[in-house]
Amino acid sequence: MAELKLDSPLQYVKGVGPRKAEVLANHNLHTVRDLLSYFPRQYLDRTNVVPIARVQVDQPVTIIGMVKAHGILHGRRRRYEVILEDDSGAISLMWFAGVKYWERLFKKGQMFAATGTVSYFMGYQMIHPDLERLDDDSSQMVHAGRIIPVYPQTAELSKAGLASKSLRRITSFVFDHLTEPIPDHLPSTVRGQSQLVDLHTAIQKVHYPDDREQLETCRRRLAFDELLGFLFMVFRRKAQKERAVKDHRYQPPGETLTKFKNELPFELTTGQKKVIREIFIDLQSKHPMARMLQGDVGCGKTVVAIASTLYVAENGLQTAFMAPTEILAEQHFRTWGPALEKLGFRCALLTSSLKPSVKKKVASECAQGSIHVLFGTHALIYDYVTFDNLGLVIIDEQHRFGVEQRSKLHAKGDNPDLLIMTATPIPRTLALTMYGDLDISTIDTLPPGRKITRTVWRTHDARDKVYKFVVDEIGKGGQAYIIYPLVEKSDQMELENVEDAYQELSSSVFRDLSVGMVHGRVKPQERDETLLRFRSGELDVLLATTVIEVGIDNPNATVMVIEHAERFGLAQLHQLRGRIGRSDKQATLVALAHPPLSEIAQKRLQYFTGTSDGFAIAEADLELRGPGEMFGFKQSGLPELRIARLSADRDLIETARNLLSTLFAKETELDSEHVKLYSFLENSAFGRKTELGGG
Ligand code: ADP
Ligand code: MG
């Protein structure tokens, strides 16, 4: 066997060979170096292994045992059951899907490790546990007190004989025979200051940790590298933007803004005034603005955006104002269009449901430059939409758009200014990483007179009382939303649905009220009509799915009931709550939960009813769910963070940002270690990411 180096092709590692090497290559694993970055998905940890006789309900554990029996159970729901047995006892493992697959997988007498949470139903059981088939060798390893890695699997890998245990054999061989250390690109001073272990140790021990503590130390080092790479990309994009130059210059603000303010039915809040100032200064700069406007639901972001369009129009430039739904785009257009027209500027609306002839007319007027502010949906992105002189791009509810969509609109102008708006506040750590290339403006005040929405949660058996309350509130002049998780009855999930509820409620408790319904499958035109009727007060109750989640503004709505509140995320609940409490009237939200509730669902509901502060909710949401699940992270189009955890690794983000500030500082002379780091980052996967553009 030749010496094993980092660049050695995997084909020559013992136990691989040409056929397996090809399969590994399909997973982007070509060399020893690549394989070392194929990190375990989870671990089998002896400290978690419990004899079956000693499991307890709600306890997350790993058990190891032999398949004693397995087969399909027919009942109210078809399911697959496996009886797993060890020296101490037996437990039932249960799956409600994939029966065929399980049937093929299990053989009597095989050893498995099952990880999951134990429940009790006519005996101890585990529903949908994580499974790993053990050979004698690995079950011994577990029993011998090692923490052993479980690698991410694909069907192709296991078919080629590269299941977790074979990968284990290969990685373990590699570590034993590697003849060179993995070089460390981090300057030793940085490592010392932040107590980060060296890269070789980190990688080796992430595969084969001695204990949990060491695993965490090593994970942190790798998380740091990942964050550093990600932020390098962000810093570079920011530097690129800062070098760009606009070819138009703004005059100082003229009369129109004063006139606009005088016509408003309210005073701008101090938060709104401060942010308008920040935006105007950016517009006047010779470099294009890249700014994110954040604030709690209902703080009044739209009027700030409109004030900006005015300044842009005053300077003879056009604005594209994009919103994620037709309802919202139309709402903006109808609410603000007249005010803009009155000041002498032309507005138009462009959505896909318009007649082709109308779309064509709008597009051609926009191309000639006679439209100052064009409101619209994704329809604005299409190629037939062009601008004569696009000065400002506004993206409302930005989490609903991908990076590509945002940059496509942005590319319709020549370095236009960019303002993106969030639905709810963004946790600081997320803002510093994901949106680290943007300047951030925060509206930190709510319009005066707003009362905090009274929020309670009840179990669904309180529903009749809740309905009575709804009827009473409507009697006092209010309006109500009732939110459902499903459009129609489903075999898969036993959840309340809006269509059945509409039939039932409009002929019973709400018999004397006018009730409307909207959901994703209602035709856009009908949906808009219903919403308009709700806004004008013609409808008392609106039954809806989460299509109404963003932006809808009906200040007269004072009640909201959310069915199956346990199924919604915190940010989403808060966003829904933002539909009420939009005036000086006291509003009430009742979250109806359907037990049994998981621990995390209970925490979420407690937190939700306990605070109305969107900034606090955003932080809690990040902690409870992790960034992958956060509002919009998945759609963002940004590379995923696999190792770093934004809530736990806050300090690493700070450290990485400081380090990058040094690397990017123009005046500073870098020492050779830092120069090496810069070129390492430039050549890393993140550094090679092409310009993401736009937002
Ligand atoms: P969001 O920030 O959630 O997008 P909106 O821009 O939709 O909020 O504004 C919410 C509501 O508050 C709207 O009805 C808007 O007209 C109103 N509003 C905005 N600013 C003020 C203010 N300064 N005083 C009173 N009401 C305001
Ligand atoms: Mg809004």
Side-chain angles (χ1 to χ4, degrees):
M1 156 69 40
E3 289 190 332
L4 221 45
K5 300 252 193 245
L6 288 167
D7 289 326
S8 303
L10 285 173
Q11 180 177 343
Y12 304 115
V13 174
K14 187 170 166 234
V16 181
R19 205 179 53 86
K20 285 183 179 161
E22 206 180 301
V23 174
L24 289 171
N26 290 341
H27 291 75
N28 263 328
L29 303 172
H30 307 277
T31 62
V32 164
R33 191 194 303 275
D34 299 334
L35 185 71
L36 296 181
S37 304
Y38 197 64
F39 298 128
R41 173 175 64 91
Q42 65 175 81
Y43 300 85
L44 287 177
D45 180 352
R46 187 191 66 117
T47 56
N48 264 339
V49 175
V50 170
I52 293 175
R54 277 207 262 130
V55 300
Q56 283 170 5
V57 171
D58 282 345
Q59 184 189 25
V61 288
T62 298
I63 50 173
I64 291 176
M66 190 185 281
V67 176
K68 192 180 164 210
H70 62 108
I72 302 173
L73 294 182
H74 295 276
R76 204 164 61 90
R77 286 176 70 185
R78 214 160 79 108
R79 55 203 191 278
Y80 203 81
E81 186 183 38
V82 172
I83 306 291
L84 205 68
E85 189 184 53
D86 69 6
D87 296 341
S88 72
I91 190 170
S92 140
L93 312 180
M94 198 84 77
W95 286 269
F96 289 99
V99 166
K100 284 241 167 62
Y101 175 79
W102 302 118
E103 205 163 22
R104 259 181 280 129
L105 181 77
F106 293 109
K107 304 233 158 32
K108 227 171 127 173
Q110 279 171 343
M111 295 288 290
F112 280 91
T115 305
T117 304
V118 175
S119 53
Y120 189 90
F121 180 74
M122 304 198 302
Y124 286 105
Q125 60 178 19
M126 262 188 193
I127 314 269
H128 296 187
D130 264 329
L131 262 200
E132 150 122 280
R133 168 127 182 247
L134 302 178
D135 40 293
D136 294 342
D137 147 56
S138 56
S139 64
Q140 259 164 22
M141 274 163 80
V142 176
H143 287 300
R146 295 274 305 270
I147 296 178
I148 62 172
V150 177
Y151 292 101
Q153 271 301 302
T154 66
E156 197 191 358
L157 282 176
S158 43
K159 223 169 116 195
L162 288 165
S164 202
K165 66 175 175 192
S166 327
L167 286 173
R168 215 145 48 210
R169 224 174 278 132
I170 298 167
T171 51
S172 138
F173 180 89
V174 164
F175 282 117
D176 287 346
H177 294 84
L178 192 61
T179 54
E180 61 181 354
I182 303 164
D184 203 329
H185 48 266
L186 270 194
S188 46
T189 48
V190 175
R191 260 180 15 227
Q193 278 158 14
S194 317
Q195 297 176 335
L196 296 166
V197 294
D198 69 278
L199 190 58
H200 189 94
T201 309
I203 289 182
Q204 180 162 19
K205 293 301 180 183
V206 148
H207 287 270
Y208 292 98
D210 297 336
D211 53 48
R212 286 268 156 191
E213 204 177 317
Q214 184 187 46
L215 176 59
E216 175 55 16
T217 311
C218 296
R219 185 200 66 82
R220 270 175 62 84
R221 164 62 210 260
L222 298 176
F224 181 80
D225 286 17
E226 186 177 51
L227 288 166
L228 189 66
F230 189 95
L231 287 166
F232 178 78
M233 175 187 79
V234 169
F235 268 64
R236 264 240 293 234
R237 284 173 56 195
K238 191 167 168 88
Q240 262 165 20
K241 279 181 192 156
E242 279 163 2
R243 262 180 266 126
V245 177
K246 303 189 275 199
D247 53 13
H248 46 264
R249 293 289 173 274
Y250 276 72
Q251 299 300 314
E255 289 283 274
T256 47
L257 189 71
T258 320
K259 281 193 197 147
F260 175 70
K261 279 197 229 165
N262 291 341
E263 294 276 323
L264 281 176
F266 46 73
E267 273 282 308
L268 292 174
T269 61
T270 48
Q272 286 170 324
K273 286 186 197 152
K274 178 192 72 180
V275 166
I276 290 176
R277 261 197 309 276
E278 287 168 355
I279 294 171
F280 279 28
I281 289 171
D282 277 4
L283 291 174
Q284 288 160 12
S285 153
K286 66 179 184 194
H287 300 297
M289 165 169 81
R291 188 168 283 280
M292 166 135 112
L293 172 53
Q294 70 161 351
D296 210 341
V297 207
C299 69
K301 292 181 283 285
T302 322
V303 69
V304 168
I306 296 295
S308 314
T309 68
L310 265 178
Y311 189 26
V312 174
E314 202 180 66
N315 281 274
L317 302 169
Q318 295 173 288
T319 298
F321 194 143
M322 184 161 74
T325 64
E326 299 217 353
I327 301 172
L328 197 51
E330 204 173 310
Q331 179 181 291
H332 288 336
F333 173 65
R334 292 212 179 152
T335 312
W336 298 104
L340 293 172
E341 300 266 348
K342 205 168 158 193
L343 292 164
F345 302 119
R346 286 208 52 213
C347 302
L349 176 70
L350 189 70
T351 63
S352 355
S353 68
L354 293 175
K355 282 202 205 95
S357 59
V358 178
K359 283 193 245 185
K360 224 170 131 188
K361 182 161 170 283
V362 171
S364 99
E365 285 177 353
C366 188
Q368 284 158 21
S370 57
I371 289 172
H372 293 97
V373 184
L374 183 59
F375 294 92
T377 54
H378 300 79
L380 297 186
I381 294 172
Y382 289 112
D383 288 338
Y384 75 90
V385 183
T386 56
F387 293 81
D388 175 46
N389 202 351
L390 181 60
L392 174 64
V393 168
I394 299 176
I395 316 253
D396 195 12
E397 312 280 348
Q398 58 83 24
H399 68 285
R400 294 293 200 94
F401 295 97
V403 172
E404 272 160 43
Q405 292 172 319
R406 298 200 306 235
S407 56
K408 230 172 154 180
L409 186 56
H410 193 255
K412 288 181 190 280
D414 189 12
N415 283 323
D417 292 298
L418 174 70
L419 180 66
I420 75 178
M421 306 203 279
T422 63
T424 46
I426 299 204
R428 204 179 113 78
T429 43
L430 249 194
L432 286 178
T433 43
M434 239 181 113
Y435 304 109
D437 56 338
L438 303 177
D439 296 312
I440 295 182
S441 284
T442 306
I443 302 183
D444 45 15
T445 44
L446 285 179
R450 291 276 169 87
K451 296 199 176 65
I452 289 174
T453 296
R454 199 167 71 92
T455 306
V456 293
W457 75 272
R458 298 278 182 267
T459 53
H460 63 103
D461 40 21
R463 195 183 282 133
D464 289 343
K465 264 199 222 152
V466 173
Y467 287 156
K468 197 176 162 300
F469 171 77
V470 170
V471 174
D472 284 351
E473 282 294 303
I474 290 169
K476 290 186 213 151
Q479 289 171 279
Y481 292 97
I482 305 185
I483 310 296
Y484 295 84
L486 287 185
V487 174
E488 55 184 21
K489 206 172 167 65
S490 149
D491 291 339
Q492 261 88 56
M493 294 176 283
E494 284 173 41
L495 302 177
E496 299 296 320
N497 71 83
V498 65
E499 289 200 322
D500 288 350
Y502 179 74
Q503 295 300 333
E504 200 184 309
L505 297 179
S506 51
S507 59
S508 57
V509 268
F510 298 154
R511 198 180 316 122
D512 300 327
L513 303 175
S514 48
V515 184
M517 165 173 70
V518 288
H519 55 69
R521 281 188 232 150
V522 174
K523 285 202 197 78
Q525 204 188 342
E526 195 185 324
R527 197 171 60 197
D528 290 354
E529 276 166 21
T530 307
L531 280 168
L532 227 57
R533 286 171 59 210
F534 185 60
R535 267 230 274 177
S536 69
E538 194 186 315
L539 295 176
D540 302 309
V541 188
L542 185 66
L543 306 191
T545 55
T546 53
V547 289
I548 60 107
E549 173 187 314
V550 295
I552 301 300
D553 189 33
N554 176 4
N556 193 50
T558 53
V559 186
M560 176 176 281
V561 179
I562 303 178
E563 285 281 359
H564 289 283
E566 77 282 359
R567 301 187 61 89
F568 296 100
L570 254 185
Q572 200 178 15
L573 287 170
H574 185 64
Q575 184 63 24
L576 283 166
R577 173 164 60 189
R579 298 311 109 220
I580 55 173
R582 300 189 142 237
S583 70
D584 52 4
K585 293 197 201 111
Q586 176 65 53
T588 308
L589 186 144
V590 186
L592 283 182
H594 295 229
L597 301 181
S598 68
E599 199 181 315
I600 197 152
Q602 276 190 45
K603 263 199 200 148
R604 228 169 7 206
L605 288 171
Q606 268 160 17
Y607 207 89
F608 176 56
T609 50
T611 182
S612 58
D613 177 356
F615 290 86
I617 286 200
E619 294 291 344
D621 198 33
L622 181 62
E623 217 134 291
L624 286 175
R625 298 208 289 174
E629 302 291 313
M630 280 290 290
F631 228 26
F633 197 90
K634 278 190 181 135
Q635 294 103 298
S636 71
L638 291 171
E640 223 180 315
L641 294 173
R642 294 185 306 151
I643 307 166
R645 302 194 194 117
L646 292 189
S647 58
D649 297 332
R650 275 169 238 238
D651 59 319
L652 296 181
I653 293 170
E654 294 289 342
T655 311
R657 287 180 60 90
N658 290 340
L659 177 55
L660 288 166
S661 299
T662 313
L663 288 185
F664 278 80
K666 291 183 197 79
E667 317 79 46
T668 328
E669 185 87 15
L670 296 178
D671 65 30
S672 67
E673 273 196 312
H674 282 81
V675 170
K676 241 170 54 192
L677 173 62
Y678 191 96
S679 77
F680 172 85
L681 290 170
E682 225 172 1
N683 291 305
S684 71
F686 283 117
R688 288 197 305 266
K689 276 267 156 210
T690 46
E691 163 72 353
L692 287 158

